[in-house]
Amino acid sequence: MTLRELIGRLAAWRRREELDRELTDELQEHLTLLEEEYEREGLSPAEARAAAHRRLGHLASTRAESRDAWGFPALERRLQDLRYALRGLRRSPGFTVAAILTLALGIGANAAMFAVLDRVMFRPYPLLRDPSTVNRVYLQTTFQGRRSTNTVFPYTRFADLQRETQSFSHYAAVSEWRFAVGRGDDTRVRKVAGVSAAFFGFFDAAPVHGRYFTASEDALPLGTTVAVISAAFWRREFGGDDVVGRQLKVGSLDYRIVGVAPADFVGTVSGEPPEVFVPITTIAANLGPYSRDTYWLDYRWDWVEMLVRRKPGVSVEAANADLTQAYVRSRAQARELNPRVMADSLVQPRGLAGPVKTAAGPERGDDATVLLWVSGVAIVVLLIACASVANLMVARLLQRRREVSIRLALGVSRRRLLAQFIAESLLLSALGLAAGLVFAQWSGTLIRALLLPEGSAFNLAQDARTFAVGIALVLLTTLLTALGPMVIAGRGELGAMLRGGGRDGAARRSRVRSALLVFQVALSVVLLIGAGLFVRSFGAARALPLGYDAGPVVEAVLDARGESLGDEQQAQLQRQMLEAAEAIPGVEAATTMNTRLFRSNTADLWVPGVDSVASLGRFNFQLGSPSYFQVMRIAIIRGRGFDASDRQGSVRVAIVSEAMAERLWPDREALGQCLHVSLGDGGPAIGAPCTTVVGIAGNTRQQALVDDDPMLTYYLVAEQFAPGALLPIALRLRTSDPTAHVERIRAALTRAMPGDGLAVVRPMQEMVDNQSSAWRLGATLFTMFGGLALLVASVGLYGVISYDVTTRAHELGLRRALGAQAGDVLRLVVGQGLRVTALGVIVGALLALGASRWVEPLLFRVRATDPVTYAAVLGTMLAVALVASLVPARRALGADPMQALRGE
């Protein structure tokens, strides 16, 4: 079709009704003239009319050919099909509602999961320029077959990699923190990003006010205290006023605001975006004196992430090779400072230029892996929904056989019939997409809480990527749901059905429907087995003996916010805060501590008689006051705990875990042994004074929830090892649910802090729960989708059995007339349902067994072939099938024998 012809057809198509009237009038005029001509030749009026019609031919065909010439016949036929499908759906509201809701669940679940995965793993950060050339740096080592991948490393290593590589045009260091921002009652803990000045160059994001900080303001060793605030923070806290030049206290330092970032700028942070950006070279000073003067010289503090932009023409493989060489050289420099850095030949160091989003990186973590699996589950739910709707459409086709036969008799082609099936499926899928997106958006709060980082947005109405995927899902579901009717019509079964009379119900039972039902049951069994395995894994993780009781405990992190205190004043403040914590109503006991749960703190450790302590494992130390073991409920197995006599200036004492005692002194009593411990810059441990082991504590899971090896922990008296430090406090409450008391405790401790100091309080159980989040996430989502699949499958089973009972009413009546008992009819109907279900159960169990080797790594202390789970799911499925079959079976008992005989 030429462009001119296309334009002509478009113009005519817009006037098609007018042109149709003109054509009808013109044909009528020709017909009248021909009739008059034939009458003048002597024919009667009836003979003249007949002759005129023969001369002009079939008027309807003539009009149709003319319409084809001035319009778009294919498009008009598709529109006719859609209008016909819409009328048909309006005549069957029950079928329509059931099909739309079923597809809405399947499409909505997949659209929601894509939206989540896209945000977590694939979607570039807003305003990031040329995202395909930007990478995050991953550093990898492999020791004794165990691979470790890190995205966080010392600032010194960032500087080494920047200096030693040539593949990149831009480098940026990034570090996220939570600092107290503001003064007085307006002080709140907010997300703060420490970034290098080059960071802003990765984005097309000009500041809306002021400017970004420069390289000279981000210089070593201590950058200038300037800050850029987010647009949301600017509007909320400053009302959109001119803020450039104002002071803002961030953490312990006063910063001068130099600019405001644009509204969509979030940096490279998933979830809640930072509200303040400061030079990364000011972070160490903000945290205190510990690493302020050394963070850029040594390799002891991992806190920086690194972004790079590849130069044009540099492949990822070339960048990886460049990074690996630079990493090796950086490790060599670190080894000059610390000879204990392991040889490269032992750990095989490797640098990687990977995805900016760590969830898509080489070590994506269990949560991201579970998300991928759940996305697969959502696809399975969609297949189940399609099978269910296809089953409904086949049943509807069988019920509409008289209407269809008439249409075939009137000349509708089988191809046109198939096109109408597709039109009906397309309409249902499109409506299912609309309902599914509404359902997914309505579930946004739950989705954000379960699947997205805290503070993430979830607005599908403005999400073009998710909408495009939804359109693709509509096309897929259209094809899958129309497949059943197309198969029946395509292989001629429809013709046989049309020729049948009213008593051929038994013969017309569709094998297609049974096959679809087996498919549904099999996939439902797979999902339910997955749900069962994750539920049991989550239960096993929850049942793990931790060695302590974190339930009624809250931790309070104290921030003096730059208050200038000497060691003695800080020690005094620590004692005051401990007394203030113990005085809060409802607090049973309080203790200082230095290492929060599931974080690691190691010190230089030397033990007489042991050649290399480091070769025996990673030993974590915990500082505490005498009440530490009372607060954490850690058992003292032998010896004693700390008491009031263990203080600064007294003989140093330690308590070691049972695992550590067995590891260091396997053939000796650990009590009375000597540890030499050096913290910070205290010099080598071999020169440190002896710390006597006075007690053996029970093993605790403080470094990791599921790994048994890191239970190597020793406890030291805080006053003896860090007398001038302001340490966090743990408070045991006289309640099992401390959440409701967090704000009260925070306010009380903040009032006790000097100056602008404040306390950040959170329940300790949250940290324990975070460790089992992957299994909780898997258990929740698999159970939700598995329950959904079970519901869809049971409704489908009921529908198939119920329909067969209806079509076999005559046959069942004859059986009763010939002497069949009620039990015989029940066994016949129920047996049919159970046979189909049993076949689906077997297929589903085999599929689950086939997938077990991929599921196994995600589970905890549960085998992927767990027989208890399999037996429970198979029994549940058969029980549901029995219930779904009994209802139509009871209706089958009502078949009238006399009516069946009269029909004969």
Side-chain angles (χ1 to χ4, degrees):
M1 182 184 299
T2 63
L3 178 61
R4 183 175 181 180
E5 185 181 358
L6 175 63
I7 294 173
R9 283 176 179 260
L10 281 173
W13 191 71
R14 296 182 59 186
R15 301 175 51 239
R16 59 190 183 281
E17 293 184 359
E18 180 185 349
L19 292 174
D20 193 56
R21 283 195 301 272
E22 291 176 357
L23 176 63
T24 302
D25 293 342
E26 186 177 354
L27 287 174
Q28 184 60 44
E29 186 177 346
H30 279 295
L31 190 65
T32 302
L33 291 173
L34 285 174
E35 286 179 12
E36 291 174 356
E37 181 180 342
Y38 284 129
E39 286 180 4
R40 284 195 298 272
E41 291 176 357
L43 297 180
S44 65
E47 293 172 336
R49 188 176 307 113
H53 276 284
R54 286 196 297 273
R55 177 90 173 264
L56 280 180
H58 198 281
L59 295 183
S61 299
T62 303
R63 282 197 293 268
E65 291 171 359
S66 299
R67 290 193 198 100
D68 290 349
W70 72 53
F72 302 94
L75 176 61
E76 290 184 0
R77 282 195 288 273
R78 299 294 83 80
L79 292 176
Q80 288 172 1
D81 292 341
L82 285 174
R83 285 194 290 269
Y84 176 78
L86 184 60
R87 288 196 299 272
L89 295 178
R90 290 174 62 183
R91 286 197 302 268
S92 305
F95 161 80
T96 304
V97 171
I100 290 175
L101 288 180
T102 304
L103 289 176
L105 292 174
I107 295 176
N110 279 271
M113 287 308 304
F114 170 79
V116 170
L117 275 183
D118 191 36
R119 282 164 172 75
V120 173
M121 302 180 72
F122 306 120
R123 181 175 303 192
Y125 289 105
L127 306 178
L128 185 63
R129 184 191 309 140
D130 196 4
S132 62
T133 64
V134 179
N135 296 101
R136 183 183 296 274
V137 172
Y138 298 78
L139 299 182
Q140 207 170 68
T141 55
T142 305
F143 179 60
Q144 294 181 344
R146 189 170 184 172
R147 179 182 296 168
S148 173
T149 304
N150 295 309
T151 57
V152 181
F153 36 81
Y155 185 91
T156 318
R157 180 138 293 145
F158 158 75
D160 290 346
L161 297 179
Q162 182 176 6
R163 184 177 59 254
E164 299 287 347
T165 53
Q166 290 80 41
S167 300
F168 309 106
S169 58
H170 294 80
Y171 303 81
V174 185
S175 183
E176 292 179 33
W177 298 89
R178 283 194 174 273
F179 283 137
V181 176
R183 289 181 179 277
D185 294 338
D186 295 332
T187 302
R188 296 288 183 275
V189 176
R190 303 190 186 281
K191 183 176 283 189
V192 176
V195 299
S196 53
F199 176 76
F200 300 103
F202 281 75
F203 300 87
D204 287 319
V208 293
H209 286 285
R211 60 177 176 82
Y212 294 127
F213 45 81
T214 63
S216 62
E217 293 169 323
D218 183 37
L220 292 171
L222 174 62
T224 307
T225 51
V226 293
V228 174
I229 60 175
S230 72
F233 183 74
W234 170 56
R235 285 192 294 268
R236 188 178 61 248
E237 301 298 325
F238 297 99
D241 295 340
D242 184 8
V243 293
V244 175
R246 289 197 191 182
Q247 294 294 308
L248 178 68
K249 187 160 188 177
V250 180
S252 60
L253 301 178
D254 285 311
Y255 286 79
R256 177 169 53 87
I257 299 174
V258 297
V260 179
D264 295 334
F265 183 72
V266 300
T268 54
V269 174
S270 297
E272 180 186 2
E275 302 206 273
V276 184
F277 298 85
V278 300
I280 197 166
T281 48
T282 67
I283 292 294
N286 210 327
L287 295 173
Y290 181 70
S291 295
R292 183 180 54 196
D293 301 324
T294 59
Y295 75 93
W296 52 287
L297 297 173
D298 60 31
Y299 299 84
R300 295 189 301 176
W301 181 24
D302 295 338
W303 63 290
V304 169
E305 298 177 69
M306 185 172 183
L307 294 181
V308 292
R309 183 186 295 281
R310 298 193 312 278
K311 290 178 179 176
V314 175
S315 65
V316 172
E317 292 73 19
N320 289 344
D322 195 13
L323 274 173
T324 298
Q325 293 177 3
Y327 183 29
V328 169
R329 288 192 286 269
S330 177
R331 284 176 54 82
Q333 295 177 35
R335 197 174 294 111
E336 292 178 1
L337 299 177
N338 180 9
R340 289 180 301 174
V341 174
M342 299 180 74
D344 296 338
S345 59
L346 295 177
V347 297
Q348 304 168 29
R350 190 177 175 214
L352 299 171
V356 177
K357 294 198 169 183
T358 54
E363 295 286 341
R364 61 172 62 100
D366 288 342
D367 283 357
T369 304
V370 169
L371 270 183
L372 287 175
W373 270 95
V374 173
S375 299
V377 167
I379 293 174
V380 172
V381 170
L382 179 65
L383 293 177
I384 293 174
C386 289
S388 179
V389 172
N391 222 332
L392 290 173
M393 293 186 70
V394 169
R396 188 161 178 264
L397 172 63
L398 297 175
Q399 289 174 342
R400 294 168 58 194
R401 57 189 181 277
R402 182 174 180 79
E403 171 199 336
V404 174
S405 66
I406 292 173
R407 295 185 62 211
L408 286 171
L410 290 176
V412 174
S413 68
R414 192 174 295 274
R415 183 177 178 182
R416 184 67 185 273
L417 202 60
L418 297 180
Q420 288 174 350
F421 293 150
I422 293 175
E424 189 171 75
S425 295
L426 178 63
L427 202 53
L428 287 172
S429 299
L431 294 172
L433 171 64
L437 290 178
V438 171
F439 174 74
Q441 186 60 52
W442 178 73
S443 308
T445 303
L446 177 65
I447 291 172
R448 279 195 297 270
L450 277 177
L451 306 175
L452 290 174
E454 184 181 2
S456 298
F458 189 77
N459 187 358
L460 295 182
Q462 301 175 354
D463 191 345
R465 291 163 65 101
T466 301
F467 188 73
V469 169
I471 296 296
L473 290 173
V474 165
L475 298 178
L476 176 65
T477 53
T478 298
L479 177 63
L480 294 178
T481 53
L483 201 57
M486 290 170 64
V487 167
I488 292 177
R491 70 184 184 188
E493 185 174 328
L494 182 61
M497 177 190 68
L498 295 175
R499 289 192 297 272
R503 293 173 292 169
D504 59 347
R508 285 200 303 271
R509 280 177 294 168
S510 171
R511 287 191 292 274
V512 172
R513 295 198 69 198
S514 297
L516 289 171
L517 187 57
V518 169
F519 181 70
Q520 285 179 252
V521 171
L523 294 183
S524 301
V525 166
V526 172
L527 293 190
L528 288 173
I529 288 175
L533 293 174
F534 271 101
V535 168
R536 284 175 63 77
S537 293
F538 183 53
R542 297 277 293 182
L544 266 181
L546 301 177
Y548 52 84
D549 176 19
V553 180
V554 297
E555 71 160 29
V557 178
L558 308 177
D559 185 356
R561 302 200 69 193
E563 195 71 18
S564 180
L565 301 173
D567 287 351
E568 181 54 37
Q569 290 173 308
Q570 194 135 294
Q572 179 64 26
L573 175 61
Q574 180 79 73
R575 288 192 290 273
Q576 290 175 357
M577 294 307 299
L578 201 56
E579 291 170 0
E582 291 171 338
I584 296 174
V587 173
E588 179 182 325
T591 179
T592 55
M593 62 178 190
N594 73 308
T595 306
R596 302 166 69 185
L597 284 183
F598 308 114
R599 294 191 180 182
S600 178
N601 245 327
T602 60
D604 192 9
L605 183 64
W606 178 67
V607 178
V610 178
D611 291 337
S612 172
V613 174
S615 66
L616 297 178
R618 185 180 180 86
F619 295 87
N620 189 55
F621 75 88
Q622 176 67 274
L623 302 178
S625 56
S627 55
Y628 178 80
F629 295 94
Q630 177 190 356
V631 171
M632 296 303 295
R633 292 286 195 271
I634 297 176
I636 300 296
I637 298 175
R638 298 196 304 278
R640 66 172 178 88
F642 297 140
D643 57 33
S645 64
D646 301 320
R647 60 178 57 189
Q648 186 179 9
S650 64
V651 175
R652 289 185 171 189
V653 295
I655 296 170
V656 302
S657 69
E658 196 173 14
M660 180 171 173
E662 293 173 356
R663 187 71 60 90
L664 291 179
W665 305 283
D667 303 320
R668 289 175 287 171
E669 172 56 67
L671 292 176
Q673 298 291 340
C674 190
L675 298 175
H676 295 263
V677 184
S678 175
L679 304 185
D681 294 329
I686 195 168
C690 172
T691 300
T692 306
V693 177
V694 298
I696 309 298
N699 291 329
T700 58
R701 298 180 184 275
Q702 296 201 36
Q703 296 185 52
L705 187 65
V706 298
D707 195 348
D708 289 336
D709 191 53
M711 292 193 293
L712 307 173
T713 306
Y714 58 106
Y715 306 89
L716 306 171
V717 179
E719 269 194 51
Q720 295 179 338
F721 284 86
L726 186 60
L727 301 176
I729 294 176
L731 302 88
R732 171 167 286 275
L733 309 185
R734 295 187 181 90
T735 176
S736 58
D737 181 15
T739 307
H741 304 275
V742 166
E743 180 55 29
R744 180 172 62 87
I745 295 170
R746 185 200 68 78
L749 292 177
T750 298
R751 282 195 299 272
M753 291 289 290
D756 291 326
L758 83 165
V760 180
V761 180
R762 64 181 296 196
M764 196 173 278
Q765 185 63 37
E766 284 184 5
M767 290 170 258
V768 179
D769 292 341
N770 288 341
Q771 292 291 308
S772 57
S773 61
W775 302 300
R776 183 174 63 250
L777 178 66
T780 302
L781 295 179
F782 266 82
T783 301
M784 192 165 65
F785 285 129
L788 187 63
L790 180 64
L791 175 65
V792 172
S794 56
V795 170
L797 180 65
Y798 170 81
V800 169
I801 302 298
S802 181
Y803 176 77
D804 280 350
V805 166
T806 301
T807 57
R808 299 173 66 188
H810 182 77
E811 172 201 343
L812 295 173
L814 277 179
R815 286 176 180 269
R816 294 299 302 274
L818 295 175
Q821 301 299 309
D824 299 327
V825 175
L826 277 175
R827 279 192 294 275
L828 180 68
V829 176
V830 174
Q832 178 198 345
L834 290 180
R835 280 194 296 275
V836 172
T837 304
L839 182 58
V841 164
I842 293 171
V843 174
L846 292 175
L847 289 175
L849 286 172
S852 60
R853 66 192 177 100
W854 291 292
V855 179
E856 185 95 26
L858 298 175
L859 305 178
F860 177 64
R861 296 191 175 181
V862 176
R863 299 294 308 274
T865 55
D866 179 45
V868 175
T869 303
Y870 276 65
V873 170
L874 303 190
T876 301
M877 208 69 215
L878 290 174
V880 168
L882 181 62
V883 173
S885 304
L886 277 177
V887 176
R890 287 173 60 84
R891 186 153 50 86
L893 295 178
D896 187 356
M898 295 305 297
Q899 187 176 355
L901 290 174
R902 281 197 295 272
E904 290 297 313

